[in-house]
Amino acid sequence: CASDLSSGINAEYGEFQTFQHYFKQINLSVPPSTSSIMAHQSQQAAQQEMMNRMVAGAVEAMEATVDKELEKYEKMDEDDLEAIRERRLKQMQKLQEKKQEYKNLGHGTYDTITNEKEFFEISKKSDRVVCAFYIDTSFRCKIVDKHMSQLCTKHFETRFIRLNAEKAPFLAERLKIRVMPTILMVKDTNVIDRITGFDDLGNTDNFPTSLLEWRIAQNKVINYSGDLTRPPVDEVKEKKKVVIQRNLRQEEHSSDSELDD
């Protein structure tokens, strides 16, 4: 009997050890205790209460600002309102005069200039200039022309021009322009940035106008209201190869053209 009792105890102890080992393996999935759940809920409630207080504080501050502005306007008499209208009219008049000045300088259009002298004259007259250097045999230059024609009307504050690089050898050499198209950004007569080929535009012919606009805006050559830290598109459509006919043979223009020496 003693032997049977000992065997039974050993068997039960062995089962206990097996259960204990199994429990240790699965203890991460065992539901937390009631006290643990309550502590977690209490922590969440405290965090929510803190957020509520922060939001309430922000709302109160905003309401105080609005109330202060309303109070200021309520105290205004007719002379004060007239002064505001006068100031606003003067601002609108200045903007209109500036727009007319830009128009007289050729802003709002995408013009082809014929020589280097014109480039220098335009750079002196307009504070901000975007110039596309092209050659007639480059299909990608025609793609740039399409986008620039849209941007020039949107960004009246900047002059958009194009210049045949083969007719501007001095500039091409001085500015080391070798790949067509090359877009120069000029501010206060200084070249501050350039876009060489399509490398900055997804290296594809299918980039959107908004991407070129974002790239040009990096050095504030145009007024840009978007986020300069992120391009307006996450990705550009698959690269498209364009085939054109020239001199009775086909040439595949999927890359940028080089300016011959």
Side-chain angles (χ1 to χ4, degrees), residues 7-111:
S7 298
I9 291 173
N10 289 335
E12 289 181 5
Y13 181 70
E15 291 177 2
F16 172 75
Q17 286 183 317
T18 301
F19 175 78
Q20 188 179 43
H21 175 71
Y22 176 72
F23 180 77
K24 285 181 179 179
Q25 289 182 325
I26 65 171
N27 61 354
L28 292 177
S29 62
V30 173
S33 64
T34 303
S35 60
S36 177
I37 293 175
M38 292 178 65
H40 181 66
Q41 291 176 342
S42 177
Q43 184 180 7
Q44 283 187 322
Q47 291 176 347
Q48 185 63 43
E49 178 63 24
M50 183 180 295
M51 290 181 63
N52 291 341
R53 286 200 299 268
M54 292 174 63
V55 171
V59 171
E60 288 178 3
M62 187 180 298
E63 288 177 346
T65 302
V66 172
D67 290 342
K68 188 175 180 180
E69 288 296 318
L70 289 174
E71 184 180 355
K72 183 174 70 175
Y73 282 111
E74 287 173 358
K75 291 180 178 179
M76 286 183 177
D77 54 22
E78 190 63 29
D79 291 337
D80 294 326
L81 294 175
E82 184 63 28
I84 292 175
R85 282 193 289 268
E86 279 287 330
R87 189 160 58 247
R88 180 58 179 160
L89 284 173
K90 287 181 179 179
Q91 290 175 348
M92 293 175 64
Q93 185 178 359
K94 285 183 179 180
L95 287 174
Q96 189 61 33
E97 290 174 355
K98 194 66 177 177
K99 187 172 182 179
Q100 185 60 46
E101 179 185 345
Y102 282 149
K103 187 175 182 180
N104 294 339
L105 290 173
H107 290 230
T109 60
Y110 180 48
D111 297 321

Side-chain angles (χ1 to χ4, degrees), residues 4-207:
D4 292 340
L5 180 59
S6 176
S7 298
I9 291 173
N10 289 335
E12 289 181 5
Y13 181 70
E15 291 177 2
F16 172 75
Q17 286 183 317
T18 301
F19 175 78
Q20 188 179 43
H21 175 71
Y22 176 72
F23 180 77
K24 285 181 179 179
Q25 289 182 325
I26 65 171
N27 61 354
L28 292 177
S29 62
V30 173
S33 64
T34 303
S35 60
S36 177
I37 293 175
M38 292 178 65
H40 181 66
Q41 291 176 342
S42 177
Q43 184 180 7
Q44 283 187 322
Q47 291 176 347
Q48 185 63 43
E49 178 63 24
M50 183 180 295
M51 290 181 63
N52 291 341
R53 286 200 299 268
M54 292 174 63
V55 171
V59 171
E60 288 178 3
M62 187 180 298
E63 288 177 346
T65 302
V66 172
D67 290 342
K68 188 175 180 180
E69 288 296 318
L70 289 174
E71 184 180 355
K72 183 174 70 175
Y73 282 111
E74 287 173 358
K75 291 180 178 179
M76 286 183 177
D77 54 22
E78 190 63 29
D79 291 337
D80 294 326
L81 294 175
E82 184 63 28
I84 292 175
R85 282 193 289 268
E86 279 287 330
R87 189 160 58 247
R88 180 58 179 160
L89 284 173
K90 287 181 179 179
Q91 290 175 348
M92 293 175 64
Q93 185 178 359
K94 285 183 179 180
L95 287 174
Q96 189 61 33
E97 290 174 355
K98 194 66 177 177
K99 187 172 182 179
Q100 185 60 46
E101 179 185 345
Y102 282 149
K103 187 175 182 180
N104 294 339
L105 290 173
H107 290 230
T109 60
Y110 180 48
D111 297 321
T112 300
I113 61 175
T114 57
N115 54 58
E116 296 160 335
K117 182 180 178 181
E118 283 187 81
F119 175 85
F120 290 119
E121 290 177 349
I122 290 172
S123 299
K124 290 178 181 178
K125 292 177 180 178
S126 295
D127 296 334
R128 295 181 285 184
V129 179
V130 176
C131 181
F133 284 79
Y134 73 96
I135 53 177
D136 292 327
T137 55
S138 171
F139 185 81
R140 281 194 161 183
C141 290
K142 295 178 175 60
I143 295 175
V144 166
D145 290 340
K146 179 189 71 173
H147 295 296
M148 297 276 273
S149 296
Q150 297 179 39
L151 292 176
C152 71
T153 58
K154 182 177 180 180
H155 293 282
F156 216 80
E157 71 280 2
T158 302
R159 182 78 192 272
F160 286 80
I161 56 176
R162 64 196 294 264
L163 174 60
N164 190 327
E166 294 175 329
K167 295 180 180 180
F170 172 78
L171 271 177
E173 179 64 28
R174 180 77 177 271
L175 300 174
K176 301 186 186 305
I177 296 173
R178 289 289 179 268
V179 176
M180 298 295 117
T182 291
I183 302 174
L184 296 185
M185 279 73 87
V186 182
K187 192 172 183 180
D188 297 326
T189 70
N190 295 312
V191 177
I192 60 172
D193 196 6
R194 70 173 62 200
I195 303 172
T196 302
F198 285 2
D199 288 346
D200 293 348
L201 304 169
N203 200 25
T204 173
D205 297 346
N206 287 351
F207 65 87

